[in-house]
Structure formats: C-alpha cells, structure tokens
Amino acid sequence: MKISIKAVFKNISIFLMFFTFVSLSAMLFTFEQTNSYIKTDILKDQKDIINSLRMIDKKDVELALIQYNGKSTDLQYQVNKLRELYEYDITGNYILGNSQEYLSDLDKLSSAIDDFNTKAYTYYKSSKKNVEQTKTELDKSHIVLENRINSLLFKNMEYDSQKFSFMIQITIATFVIVLLLSIWYYTRLKKIYNDIAYLQSPSKSKKDYEICTIEADAISIRMKKKPDVKDNPSNIDPITKINNHKGLITEYGEKKNFKENNFTSVTVLEVDNFSKTNRAFNQEFSQAALKKIAYTISLFEQATDVIGRTDYNQFTVILSRETKDKAYKDMEAIREAISELKFVTQTKVPVQITVSGGFFIKPNNVVLANAMEEAKKILRFAQQGEKNRIAQKRDMEGVHI
C-alpha cells in the first residue's frame, strides 16, 4: 500500500510537538530539582539560625532581644518560602500526591518555630532566678524543632528519590517511543527521498522500481508519455492511436487506486452519424472523423483519466474527479467540443458530427466491465430521444430499457 507524503509530514509535526512537550517536561523537572536543592539549603539555614539563637549573649539584654527578633522573624519567613517553592512542585502536587503530607509537616514546623521563639524570648527576658528553668525549656524546644527540621530534610530526600525513580521510568519510556518513531519516520522519509530521486532521473533508475508514495505516483503518471505503438501495439487502436478495449482495461488497472477519495465516472460515447450497420460515409471520412473525435477527447484527459475506442463508433471515457457534478460537466464539455468540430465530405458538403453518451458513476464494489454495461444501457436510453446529449442513470427513473 502506498503511503501519503502529506500524512507523513502531518505526523512528523505531531511528533515534533510531542518532542517539544517532552523537552518542556524535562526543563520543568530540572527546575523542580533546583527548587529541591534550595529547600534543602533553607532547612539547613534554619538549623544554623536556631543554633545561633541559643548562643546569643545575655549580658546585653537589649542587644540580645534585637538579635532574637531578627532571627526569629527569619525562621518564619523561611517556612513561608518553603510553601511558595512547593507550589511549583508539579510532580509532588499532581503525580506523587504528597502535597497534604508535606504541607502538614510545614504546619508542624511552623508551630515548633513559634514554640521555640516563645521559649527563646522568655529565656532572654528571664531573671537570674528563672534562668535555669527557661534554659531547660528552651533546650527541649530546640530539640523538638531540630527533629522537625531533620524530619523534613529526610522526607525531602525521600521525595527526591521518588521523583528520580519516576523520571527514570518516564525517560526510558520516552526514549523507546522516540527511538521507534525515529526509525519509523526514517524509513518513510527514505522512501520519499528514493521516490524523488527516481522522479529526478528516471532513466538512471531501475526499470522495476516501485514507487512508494501516492504523490510521487501521481507525478510519475503525469510524466509518462502516451503509449507508443511499438511498446505494445496490441493495446492501441491503429486508427485513433488511443487505447483499444484491452488497452483501456490495462491502463485503468494501473490508475484505479490513485486518488481513492475521488468519484469514478464511466461514460460510453457513440457517434450519432454512422455505425457498423449505417455506413453513411465512406471509410476515409469515417476514419478521419474518428481520429478527430479521439484527439478532442484526449485534450480533456487528466493524469488519472483513461480513454479508449472500444467499438467501431464507440469511445469509453473514464474520469476521476472530486465530485460527481464535475465529472458530468467535463463530459458535457467533451460532447460540446465534438459537436463544434468542422467536417466536410469529399463533395464539399459540411457535416456536423455529434455523439450521445451514457454517464454512470462507478461504485467501488462494481467491476469496470459491469460499469461499462450500465453506461451502455444509459446510452441506449439517450439515443431514444434527441441525439447529441449525455444521459445519466437518474434520467431513466421509471423507464425500462
């Protein structure tokens, strides 16, 4: 089955979008890891701050309180900063689902900091009589707070380990997908390149080369010249130099899969002025008329069309068009062009040669021979009325031939 270049490049654009999304995800993960390092540094800074709060000299109470106020405020500020950083933790919030646990730990840390700040303030304001008791309470509060910070540090490491494990799985899966897609696209792009190379220099390519893409096949068909009698004279009508019945069937077999979404019309045209049984003109005139008619039909022929002389005064025209209406209009144009041809007999008498036709839209499940028979039935209906017209199947509704 031939591939579509348009579909390949459409899929490549989707692949590039996917690759961009993966790259963006990797960038966000890197940003998350940076934030994780910042969170670890903040927790370490908090340990240093609480240790320094315990070491403030009480000899100058006012100076001690100023230092205490600055350091205690900084502790709460650091907690708020941890909350803000976690808002950007997409993996933790939406994939691992540990947001409630982490935020709960931050609340506990904030409470422990408040308790430690209170005990520290009481210690620095206490008199000499109560200094031992307040110092003991401060030490206990310090131990609780330090344990909270250590717990967060360990959990932060655990979260990072989970993220890393998750990202390893995603990275492996992404690598496999990208590798398979790259191989898949490489094979198709190679086929496209080979087709283009063949079209560029067909004479240098192998004669048995099989085109792999729909678009290249279309170009190849357009590039092909008309069949030469010398190539296969059994397929060519010797008078008109177009396909005979055998050549029509053969060429249609080569082109029928091209533009599968198009409608295929089969029209049988018959000359109104003469036939096998009605030899109204001599042989020379009749053959000259057939040649002109064949040439006129060929002027309307497109790359996907097939024409042929299939009987003494009959021509079969197979069109491939986007719509049924366009196919019918093109057949009408052919009929009108034939009717406008100028003919003169040997006795200098002008003659108007006309054709009648049976137009039939061929369904995909109907073979060409049956479609031609249907077109001939419609042709016979067209010949019952006025000549020089193209009849369709819908014109025969209610009429039995």
Side-chain angles (χ1 to χ4, degrees), residues 167-180:
M167 288 309 299
I168 286 178
Q169 296 175 19
I170 294 296
T171 302
I172 293 173
T174 302
F175 173 76
V176 172
I177 292 172
V178 171
L179 179 63
L180 293 176

mmCIF file with all atom_site columns, all heavy atoms in Angstrom, residues 167-180:
data_model
loop_
_atom_site.group_PDB
_atom_site.id
_atom_site.type_symbol
_atom_site.label_atom_id
_atom_site.label_alt_id
_atom_site.label_comp_id
_atom_site.label_asym_id
_atom_site.label_entity_id
_atom_site.label_seq_id
_atom_site.pdbx_PDB_ins_code
_atom_site.Cartn_x
_atom_site.Cartn_y
_atom_site.Cartn_z
_atom_site.occupancy
_atom_site.B_iso_or_equiv
_atom_site.pdbx_formal_charge
_atom_site.auth_seq_id
_atom_site.auth_comp_id
_atom_site.auth_asym_id
_atom_site.auth_atom_id
_atom_site.pdbx_PDB_model_num
ATOM 1   N N   . MET A 1 167 ? 11.007 9.719  37.153 1.00 0.00 ? 167 MET A N   1
ATOM 2   C CA  . MET A 1 167 ? 11.575 10.325 35.946 1.00 0.00 ? 167 MET A CA  1
ATOM 3   C C   . MET A 1 167 ? 12.408 9.318  35.153 1.00 0.00 ? 167 MET A C   1
ATOM 4   O O   . MET A 1 167 ? 12.476 9.385  33.930 1.00 0.00 ? 167 MET A O   1
ATOM 5   C CB  . MET A 1 167 ? 12.425 11.539 36.317 1.00 0.00 ? 167 MET A CB  1
ATOM 6   C CG  . MET A 1 167 ? 11.616 12.746 36.773 1.00 0.00 ? 167 MET A CG  1
ATOM 7   S SD  . MET A 1 167 ? 10.291 13.212 35.635 1.00 0.00 ? 167 MET A SD  1
ATOM 8   C CE  . MET A 1 167 ? 11.208 13.581 34.147 1.00 0.00 ? 167 MET A CE  1
ATOM 9   N N   . ILE A 1 168 ? 13.041 8.366  35.862 1.00 0.00 ? 168 ILE A N   1
ATOM 10  C CA  . ILE A 1 168 ? 13.786 7.319  35.149 1.00 0.00 ? 168 ILE A CA  1
ATOM 11  C C   . ILE A 1 168 ? 12.825 6.503  34.280 1.00 0.00 ? 168 ILE A C   1
ATOM 12  O O   . ILE A 1 168 ? 13.100 6.216  33.106 1.00 0.00 ? 168 ILE A O   1
ATOM 13  C CB  . ILE A 1 168 ? 14.537 6.404  36.143 1.00 0.00 ? 168 ILE A CB  1
ATOM 14  C CG1 . ILE A 1 168 ? 15.758 7.134  36.710 1.00 0.00 ? 168 ILE A CG1 1
ATOM 15  C CG2 . ILE A 1 168 ? 14.975 5.116  35.463 1.00 0.00 ? 168 ILE A CG2 1
ATOM 16  C CD1 . ILE A 1 168 ? 16.519 6.328  37.727 1.00 0.00 ? 168 ILE A CD1 1
ATOM 17  N N   . GLN A 1 169 ? 11.673 6.127  34.862 1.00 0.00 ? 169 GLN A N   1
ATOM 18  C CA  . GLN A 1 169 ? 10.685 5.353  34.106 1.00 0.00 ? 169 GLN A CA  1
ATOM 19  C C   . GLN A 1 169 ? 10.167 6.150  32.906 1.00 0.00 ? 169 GLN A C   1
ATOM 20  O O   . GLN A 1 169 ? 10.043 5.616  31.791 1.00 0.00 ? 169 GLN A O   1
ATOM 21  C CB  . GLN A 1 169 ? 9.522  4.961  35.022 1.00 0.00 ? 169 GLN A CB  1
ATOM 22  C CG  . GLN A 1 169 ? 9.920  4.036  36.161 1.00 0.00 ? 169 GLN A CG  1
ATOM 23  C CD  . GLN A 1 169 ? 8.763  3.770  37.117 1.00 0.00 ? 169 GLN A CD  1
ATOM 24  O OE1 . GLN A 1 169 ? 7.605  3.974  36.782 1.00 0.00 ? 169 GLN A OE1 1
ATOM 25  N NE2 . GLN A 1 169 ? 9.084  3.318  38.318 1.00 0.00 ? 169 GLN A NE2 1
ATOM 26  N N   . ILE A 1 170 ? 9.861  7.436  33.145 1.00 0.00 ? 170 ILE A N   1
ATOM 27  C CA  . ILE A 1 170 ? 9.366  8.287  32.063 1.00 0.00 ? 170 ILE A CA  1
ATOM 28  C C   . ILE A 1 170 ? 10.429 8.450  30.980 1.00 0.00 ? 170 ILE A C   1
ATOM 29  O O   . ILE A 1 170 ? 10.143 8.404  29.785 1.00 0.00 ? 170 ILE A O   1
ATOM 30  C CB  . ILE A 1 170 ? 8.941  9.661  32.611 1.00 0.00 ? 170 ILE A CB  1
ATOM 31  C CG1 . ILE A 1 170 ? 7.729  9.511  33.531 1.00 0.00 ? 170 ILE A CG1 1
ATOM 32  C CG2 . ILE A 1 170 ? 8.624  10.629 31.472 1.00 0.00 ? 170 ILE A CG2 1
ATOM 33  C CD1 . ILE A 1 170 ? 6.490  8.999  32.849 1.00 0.00 ? 170 ILE A CD1 1
ATOM 34  N N   . THR A 1 171 ? 11.674 8.635  31.418 1.00 0.00 ? 171 THR A N   1
ATOM 35  C CA  . THR A 1 171 ? 12.773 8.831  30.454 1.00 0.00 ? 171 THR A CA  1
ATOM 36  C C   . THR A 1 171 ? 12.976 7.591  29.594 1.00 0.00 ? 171 THR A C   1
ATOM 37  O O   . THR A 1 171 ? 13.145 7.697  28.373 1.00 0.00 ? 171 THR A O   1
ATOM 38  C CB  . THR A 1 171 ? 14.074 9.160  31.206 1.00 0.00 ? 171 THR A CB  1
ATOM 39  O OG1 . THR A 1 171 ? 13.879 10.343 32.005 1.00 0.00 ? 171 THR A OG1 1
ATOM 40  C CG2 . THR A 1 171 ? 15.213 9.396  30.226 1.00 0.00 ? 171 THR A CG2 1
ATOM 41  N N   . ILE A 1 172 ? 12.942 6.407  30.219 1.00 0.00 ? 172 ILE A N   1
ATOM 42  C CA  . ILE A 1 172 ? 13.114 5.164  29.455 1.00 0.00 ? 172 ILE A CA  1
ATOM 43  C C   . ILE A 1 172 ? 11.973 4.986  28.457 1.00 0.00 ? 172 ILE A C   1
ATOM 44  O O   . ILE A 1 172 ? 12.193 4.662  27.286 1.00 0.00 ? 172 ILE A O   1
ATOM 45  C CB  . ILE A 1 172 ? 13.207 3.955  30.405 1.00 0.00 ? 172 ILE A CB  1
ATOM 46  C CG1 . ILE A 1 172 ? 14.498 4.032  31.239 1.00 0.00 ? 172 ILE A CG1 1
ATOM 47  C CG2 . ILE A 1 172 ? 13.158 2.644  29.623 1.00 0.00 ? 172 ILE A CG2 1
ATOM 48  C CD1 . ILE A 1 172 ? 14.600 2.976  32.320 1.00 0.00 ? 172 ILE A CD1 1
ATOM 49  N N   . ALA A 1 173 ? 10.733 5.202  28.944 1.00 0.00 ? 173 ALA A N   1
ATOM 50  C CA  . ALA A 1 173 ? 9.569  5.056  28.063 1.00 0.00 ? 173 ALA A CA  1
ATOM 51  C C   . ALA A 1 173 ? 9.632  6.056  26.908 1.00 0.00 ? 173 ALA A C   1
ATOM 52  O O   . ALA A 1 173 ? 9.365  5.712  25.750 1.00 0.00 ? 173 ALA A O   1
ATOM 53  C CB  . ALA A 1 173 ? 8.285  5.247  28.857 1.00 0.00 ? 173 ALA A CB  1
ATOM 54  N N   . THR A 1 174 ? 10.011 7.299  27.225 1.00 0.00 ? 174 THR A N   1
ATOM 55  C CA  . THR A 1 174 ? 10.110 8.333  26.188 1.00 0.00 ? 174 THR A CA  1
ATOM 56  C C   . THR A 1 174 ? 11.196 7.997  25.182 1.00 0.00 ? 174 THR A C   1
ATOM 57  O O   . THR A 1 174 ? 11.014 8.163  23.968 1.00 0.00 ? 174 THR A O   1
ATOM 58  C CB  . THR A 1 174 ? 10.406 9.702  26.833 1.00 0.00 ? 174 THR A CB  1
ATOM 59  O OG1 . THR A 1 174 ? 9.374  10.006 27.777 1.00 0.00 ? 174 THR A OG1 1
ATOM 60  C CG2 . THR A 1 174 ? 10.458 10.796 25.776 1.00 0.00 ? 174 THR A CG2 1
ATOM 61  N N   . PHE A 1 175 ? 12.319 7.499  25.686 1.00 0.00 ? 175 PHE A N   1
ATOM 62  C CA  . PHE A 1 175 ? 13.414 7.128  24.788 1.00 0.00 ? 175 PHE A CA  1
ATOM 63  C C   . PHE A 1 175 ? 12.988 6.026  23.816 1.00 0.00 ? 175 PHE A C   1
ATOM 64  O O   . PHE A 1 175 ? 13.272 6.100  22.610 1.00 0.00 ? 175 PHE A O   1
ATOM 65  C CB  . PHE A 1 175 ? 14.620 6.652  25.605 1.00 0.00 ? 175 PHE A CB  1
ATOM 66  C CG  . PHE A 1 175 ? 15.733 6.084  24.763 1.00 0.00 ? 175 PHE A CG  1
ATOM 67  C CD1 . PHE A 1 175 ? 16.576 6.921  24.043 1.00 0.00 ? 175 PHE A CD1 1
ATOM 68  C CD2 . PHE A 1 175 ? 15.916 4.705  24.678 1.00 0.00 ? 175 PHE A CD2 1
ATOM 69  C CE1 . PHE A 1 175 ? 17.590 6.398  23.252 1.00 0.00 ? 175 PHE A CE1 1
ATOM 70  C CE2 . PHE A 1 175 ? 16.927 4.184  23.891 1.00 0.00 ? 175 PHE A CE2 1
ATOM 71  C CZ  . PHE A 1 175 ? 17.765 5.028  23.183 1.00 0.00 ? 175 PHE A CZ  1
ATOM 72  N N   . VAL A 1 176 ? 12.283 5.025  24.346 1.00 0.00 ? 176 VAL A N   1
ATOM 73  C CA  . VAL A 1 176 ? 11.821 3.922  23.487 1.00 0.00 ? 176 VAL A CA  1
ATOM 74  C C   . VAL A 1 176 ? 10.849 4.437  22.430 1.00 0.00 ? 176 VAL A C   1
ATOM 75  O O   . VAL A 1 176 ? 10.944 4.093  21.239 1.00 0.00 ? 176 VAL A O   1
ATOM 76  C CB  . VAL A 1 176 ? 11.165 2.813  24.337 1.00 0.00 ? 176 VAL A CB  1
ATOM 77  C CG1 . VAL A 1 176 ? 10.511 1.770  23.435 1.00 0.00 ? 176 VAL A CG1 1
ATOM 78  C CG2 . VAL A 1 176 ? 12.193 2.153  25.237 1.00 0.00 ? 176 VAL A CG2 1
ATOM 79  N N   . ILE A 1 177 ? 9.898  5.303  22.864 1.00 0.00 ? 177 ILE A N   1
ATOM 80  C CA  . ILE A 1 177 ? 8.910  5.848  21.925 1.00 0.00 ? 177 ILE A CA  1
ATOM 81  C C   . ILE A 1 177 ? 9.590  6.684  20.849 1.00 0.00 ? 177 ILE A C   1
ATOM 82  O O   . ILE A 1 177 ? 9.311  6.539  19.651 1.00 0.00 ? 177 ILE A O   1
ATOM 83  C CB  . ILE A 1 177 ? 7.861  6.694  22.685 1.00 0.00 ? 177 ILE A CB  1
ATOM 84  C CG1 . ILE A 1 177 ? 7.002  5.792  23.575 1.00 0.00 ? 177 ILE A CG1 1
ATOM 85  C CG2 . ILE A 1 177 ? 6.973  7.466  21.707 1.00 0.00 ? 177 ILE A CG2 1
ATOM 86  C CD1 . ILE A 1 177 ? 6.080  6.549  24.509 1.00 0.00 ? 177 ILE A CD1 1
ATOM 87  N N   . VAL A 1 178 ? 10.486 7.576  21.286 1.00 0.00 ? 178 VAL A N   1
ATOM 88  C CA  . VAL A 1 178 ? 11.181 8.449  20.328 1.00 0.00 ? 178 VAL A CA  1
ATOM 89  C C   . VAL A 1 178 ? 12.041 7.622  19.374 1.00 0.00 ? 178 VAL A C   1
ATOM 90  O O   . VAL A 1 178 ? 12.100 7.897  18.168 1.00 0.00 ? 178 VAL A O   1
ATOM 91  C CB  . VAL A 1 178 ? 12.043 9.492  21.076 1.00 0.00 ? 178 VAL A CB  1
ATOM 92  C CG1 . VAL A 1 178 ? 12.940 10.252 20.104 1.00 0.00 ? 178 VAL A CG1 1
ATOM 93  C CG2 . VAL A 1 178 ? 11.150 10.480 21.820 1.00 0.00 ? 178 VAL A CG2 1
ATOM 94  N N   . LEU A 1 179 ? 12.699 6.576  19.896 1.00 0.00 ? 179 LEU A N   1
ATOM 95  C CA  . LEU A 1 179 ? 13.536 5.720  19.050 1.00 0.00 ? 179 LEU A CA  1
ATOM 96  C C   . LEU A 1 179 ? 12.696 5.010  17.988 1.00 0.00 ? 179 LEU A C   1
ATOM 97  O O   . LEU A 1 179 ? 13.051 5.008  16.799 1.00 0.00 ? 179 LEU A O   1
ATOM 98  C CB  . LEU A 1 179 ? 14.275 4.697  19.916 1.00 0.00 ? 179 LEU A CB  1
ATOM 99  C CG  . LEU A 1 179 ? 15.176 3.697  19.158 1.00 0.00 ? 179 LEU A CG  1
ATOM 100 C CD1 . LEU A 1 179 ? 16.304 4.424  18.445 1.00 0.00 ? 179 LEU A CD1 1
ATOM 101 C CD2 . LEU A 1 179 ? 15.722 2.638  20.116 1.00 0.00 ? 179 LEU A CD2 1
ATOM 102 N N   . LEU A 1 180 ? 11.574 4.424  18.424 1.00 0.00 ? 180 LEU A N   1
ATOM 103 C CA  . LEU A 1 180 ? 10.713 3.713  17.475 1.00 0.00 ? 180 LEU A CA  1
ATOM 104 C C   . LEU A 1 180 ? 10.127 4.663  16.436 1.00 0.00 ? 180 LEU A C   1
ATOM 105 O O   . LEU A 1 180 ? 10.086 4.340  15.237 1.00 0.00 ? 180 LEU A O   1
ATOM 106 C CB  . LEU A 1 180 ? 9.584  2.996  18.230 1.00 0.00 ? 180 LEU A CB  1
ATOM 107 C CG  . LEU A 1 180 ? 10.010 1.831  19.144 1.00 0.00 ? 180 LEU A CG  1
ATOM 108 C CD1 . LEU A 1 180 ? 8.816  1.278  19.906 1.00 0.00 ? 180 LEU A CD1 1
ATOM 109 C CD2 . LEU A 1 180 ? 10.661 0.725  18.318 1.00 0.00 ? 180 LEU A CD2 1
#
